[in-house]
Amino acid sequence: MLLASLPSAARDEIHRLLYGSCEPALLSALHKALAVGAQLDASQPGDSRGKQLLRRLGTLGEALPPGHDPFADPARLAAAHAWAAVADPPLCLAALVHHVLCLGSMAHLSAEPDALAPEMAALLSGRAKGVYLITEAGQANSHLATRTRADHDPVGGGFVLHTPDPLAAKFASAGTLDIPQTGVVLARLFTEGTDRGVFAFVVGLTGDAGLLPGIEMSSPIGLGALPLDYVQVRFHHVRIPYVHWLSDGARTDPDGAFHDPAGSHEQRLQRTLRVGQGLWATMPAVAAATSRQSAVQAVNYARQRRTQGRLAPGVPLLAYRTQQRVVLGALADAFALTCAAHGAREVWTESLAAPPAGPDDGEAMSFTPWAAVSRPLAAYKAVTVRMAARVSADCQQRCGFSGHLDVNRLAAYHGFHHAFDAAGGDSQLIFYDIGRALVEQGPGTAEPPLPADPPVTSPRWWPAVLRRHQEELTRRLARRRDASDATAFDVWNPLLEEAGLLGETYATRLVAEDLAHTVDRTQDRTLAQALEPLAALHGVTAARRWSGPLLTLGTLRPQDLEDLPAVADRLCDEVLPHLPLLTEAFAHPDDIASAPLAATDYNTALETTLTWTRGATA
């Protein structure tokens, strides 16, 4: 074991790189919780899928911070869900909704969290499943125009929740009818007939005997990439207790007067949705964990698998430069995502300590509310899930048919992140909003002028290229916007593709700068020698992927791009001697990522998963 031979200070650095402030004892408990959950499922095959899910949510909850606030320890929250994603992507998605969106909403938006103690305790212990109901099925961008109603009842007390028509039905993973489910439902609040904006409400959906009164659900809606129980949900005059209103500081007086510190409908929506920051801050860690495991498996396969190609019969796949650039590039991207996970957590930790936004704070909303809630965290979510989907797809492709076998999990990792491109805030719409906002806000405080770009083999080269690209693309879009006096739609409609590219550049730059900062702070020399070329390889690989936009804008010249394959090969040569250390550090325990592709002998490991049947002899 190479890690064991390193100085303790170097091992501590690797641990902090992968898991932040999480103590090793927590990871041991998390490892045990996930392994025990899988063993219990295997030992009780008669249990329904819903009961198995509840049990696993309960065991995973034991690894979260004590108490009712899942946001109390962001590093711990991220590690728990990252390991869950490696072990079982559908479990991770259910847990993110359950812990982050549902419990997080109750803990941070309720005026009386003690009144919700029974519901929160049931979620934490795995006696009920949490569901978050925000999306309405009948229209695009429904988050900006929620039509589900919650009417205040001053006589009977509480609220009456109602779906006004079929197009306002909620889409959610609420179809697990044989277990108790508690929903956090976003609805438009009306008091005395006046629209007060969108709030969250705690609503019982199902009990041990099935649907609760006033709840109507559709037949299941299949989604193979994320196999949970998706349905559409309608509410028929469901009564909600007053304490189940997650009011976030708003209140109604006995005389019917309404008070809300948000000050406007836009600010109210942003404040109600701020729990989404927990999801966006956690997703980079999830993306990093599955990408590290994907890359480790692809590298392991490429080192073992011998090709019979006529150029060099018998050499391992990893001897080929084409294979090196992709699978070592995937390892480099996984490292970049790991650094971005730290960056996202730092942004979120600062946000948790800040007071709620006031009436004059925040950005205007355009396509979605997400970038207005937190531009950097929405950007981190969008760029990291997209990168992770590409990493797992590249690893699948480079492992041949083995990469597509379910037992090797690469297909599950890819499906999870590819589907998450639209879930949790549509990534492309986030990029549109960020790009447009960057142009509309103008240059702001100018960054100090850059010296000449660092050498292309430096981890600082790619952030410098992206900065120049972002600045020039912003200026170009501003000129094109200013050349027209048409309506906002007519001005921006032809510019949205480039606005999306600008938003993606901003997000990609966040990741690149996090990566460079991490390398700069690495203290152990042996570790730095392994990480520096890996970080530079990420930049070179990304620049080749971005070659079209970079050439179009003149950010790089044709000769610059022509030189990059040779640079990538030199960096691969520098990374190769460190592969044993990197793959050992990046891999998860065998019983968490139990894939034959991770084994030291892939053929033998795959063989152990098979049973054979021989036809009878004559």
Side-chain angles (χ1 to χ4, degrees):
M1 301 287 285
L2 290 176
L3 287 177
S5 68
L6 293 177
S8 60
R11 294 198 302 272
D12 290 344
E13 274 202 273
I14 292 173
H15 182 88
R16 287 193 300 273
L17 168 67
L18 298 177
Y19 305 114
S21 60
C22 287
E23 295 294 331
L26 166 68
L27 297 181
S28 297
L30 177 59
H31 184 178
K32 180 179 178 181
L34 288 168
V36 167
Q39 291 166 6
L40 285 172
D41 287 350
S43 66
Q44 301 180 46
D47 283 353
S48 68
R49 189 169 68 174
K51 291 179 180 177
Q52 290 180 347
L53 177 59
L54 267 191
R55 185 165 55 236
R56 301 201 74 182
L57 288 172
T59 56
L60 186 62
E62 294 172 2
L64 295 181
H68 287 165
D69 184 1
F71 299 170
D73 188 340
R76 190 168 179 169
L77 182 73
H81 291 86
W83 277 51
V86 173
D88 183 354
L91 170 65
C92 175
L93 176 58
L96 286 167
V97 173
H98 182 92
H99 295 125
V100 178
L101 298 180
C102 290
L103 268 172
S105 293
M106 294 182 196
H108 286 263
L109 298 180
S110 174
E112 301 180 61
D114 289 345
L116 295 173
E119 288 81 9
M120 298 172 80
L123 292 174
L124 280 166
S125 63
R127 288 182 283 112
K129 171 191 161 193
V131 183
Y132 195 70
L133 298 96
I134 177 172
T135 300
E136 294 181 351
Q139 59 182 339
N141 308 94
S142 66
H143 310 71
L144 298 177
T146 297
R147 296 174 61 244
T148 301
R149 293 178 61 112
D151 288 277
H152 180 234
D153 179 6
V155 177
F159 306 88
V160 178
L161 185 70
H162 185 65
T163 303
D165 57 64
L167 295 182
K170 298 287 190 182
F171 173 79
S173 57
T176 319
L177 303 184
D178 63 337
I179 60 173
Q181 296 182 103
T182 299
V184 170
V185 181
L186 269 68
R188 190 167 297 280
L189 172 62
F190 288 82
T191 67
E192 298 183 326
T194 301
D195 179 359
R196 303 300 186 179
V198 175
F199 288 85
F201 297 84
V202 177
V203 183
L205 301 175
T206 58
D208 291 322
L211 291 171
L212 295 179
I215 308 296
E216 181 183 15
M217 293 190 187
S218 71
S219 57
I221 303 171
L223 202 168
L226 288 175
L228 297 176
D229 297 318
Y230 294 100
V231 290
Q232 289 186 19
V233 183
R234 300 174 186 171
F235 304 98
H236 296 279
H237 304 288
V238 177
R239 299 202 66 87
I240 305 171
Y242 191 89
V243 294
H244 284 200
W245 174 30
L246 303 182
S247 61
D248 184 38
R251 72 180 194 277
T252 58
D253 290 342
D255 62 0
F258 179 81
H259 307 273
D260 186 358
S264 70
H265 283 194
E266 280 213 353
Q267 281 297 308
R268 166 43 50 209
L269 181 59
Q270 291 180 33
R271 287 179 57 138
T272 298
L273 294 176
R274 72 176 186 269
V275 294
Q277 295 180 59
L279 176 65
W280 307 329
T282 303
M283 278 307 300
V286 170
T290 57
S291 294
R292 290 195 303 268
Q293 190 62 38
S294 297
V296 165
Q297 292 180 185
V299 168
N300 189 50
Y301 182 84
R303 285 191 296 194
Q304 293 183 41
R305 198 73 166 177
R306 297 195 174 273
T307 173
Q308 300 308 312
R310 294 298 186 256
L311 284 177
V315 301
L317 285 172
L318 198 57
Y320 283 88
R321 287 298 194 189
T322 52
Q323 196 79 2
Q324 290 177 14
R325 293 172 190 166
V326 175
V327 299
L328 299 187
L331 199 68
D333 287 347
F335 175 38
L337 286 166
T338 302
C339 301
H342 285 269
R345 269 200 313 279
E346 288 177 2
V347 172
W348 187 38
T349 301
E350 293 174 5
S351 174
L352 287 171
D360 300 322
D361 298 329
E363 299 179 3
M365 294 184 289
S366 181
F367 293 100
T368 72
W370 312 123
V373 172
S374 172
R375 181 190 296 176
L377 287 175
Y380 272 120
K381 176 270 169 186
V383 74
T384 56
V385 299
R386 193 165 283 190
M387 283 179 63
R390 188 187 63 249
V391 167
S392 55
D394 286 346
C395 292
Q396 267 191 292
Q397 196 268 338
R398 292 296 166 154
C399 290
F401 80 90
S402 299
H404 295 269
L405 298 179
D406 288 348
V407 71
N408 285 319
R409 300 193 183 177
L410 295 179
Y413 298 157
H414 177 253
F416 176 86
H417 290 292
H418 189 57
F420 234 105
D421 200 64
D426 187 281
S427 298
Q428 192 58 46
L429 296 182
I430 287 171
F431 289 147
Y432 290 154
D433 273 341
I434 291 175
R436 184 168 177 248
L438 288 170
V439 174
E440 297 288 14
Q441 77 182 26
T445 303
E447 296 186 65
L450 274 173
D453 285 351
V456 68
T457 53
S458 165
R460 285 280 171 192
W461 175 78
W462 182 229
V465 170
L466 286 170
R467 174 178 162 179
R468 290 193 289 109
H469 191 67
Q470 179 180 326
E471 291 173 350
E472 179 54 36
L473 187 52
T474 303
R475 287 191 291 267
R476 171 174 165 157
L477 277 169
R479 288 193 299 268
R480 295 180 64 187
R481 175 205 58 186
D482 295 342
S484 173
D485 58 0
T487 66
F489 175 79
D490 289 332
V491 169
W492 280 102
N493 197 26
L495 302 182
L496 283 179
E497 185 173 345
E498 285 186 272
L501 185 61
L502 176 57
E504 191 168 4
T505 303
Y506 165 87
T508 303
R509 184 180 166 194
L510 288 177
V511 176
E513 290 179 343
D514 288 336
L515 177 59
H517 292 327
T518 299
V519 173
D520 288 346
R521 292 193 297 260
T522 302
Q523 299 294 314
D524 183 80
R525 194 61 218 147
T526 300
L527 185 58
Q529 288 173 346
L531 296 181
E532 286 172 3
L534 195 65
L537 181 61
H538 165 75
V540 170
T541 302
R544 295 186 68 198
R545 196 176 297 119
W546 279 70
S547 58
L550 294 173
L551 280 175
T552 299
L553 222 60
T555 309
L556 291 180
R557 302 165 301 168
Q559 185 60 51
D560 298 326
L561 289 163
E562 188 176 337
D563 294 339
L564 290 184
V567 175
D569 291 343
R570 293 200 302 273
L571 291 170
C572 286
D573 289 339
E574 293 183 45
V575 170
L576 282 169
H578 303 289
L579 271 186
L581 172 63
L582 292 169
T583 54
E584 183 182 338
F586 285 5
H588 289 78
D590 290 344
D591 55 347
I592 298 299
S594 55
L597 278 177
T600 53
D601 184 338
Y602 170 70
N603 289 330
T604 300
L606 182 62
E607 176 77 17
T608 63
T609 69
L610 307 177
T611 57
W612 294 80
T613 303
R614 179 182 296 184
T617 57

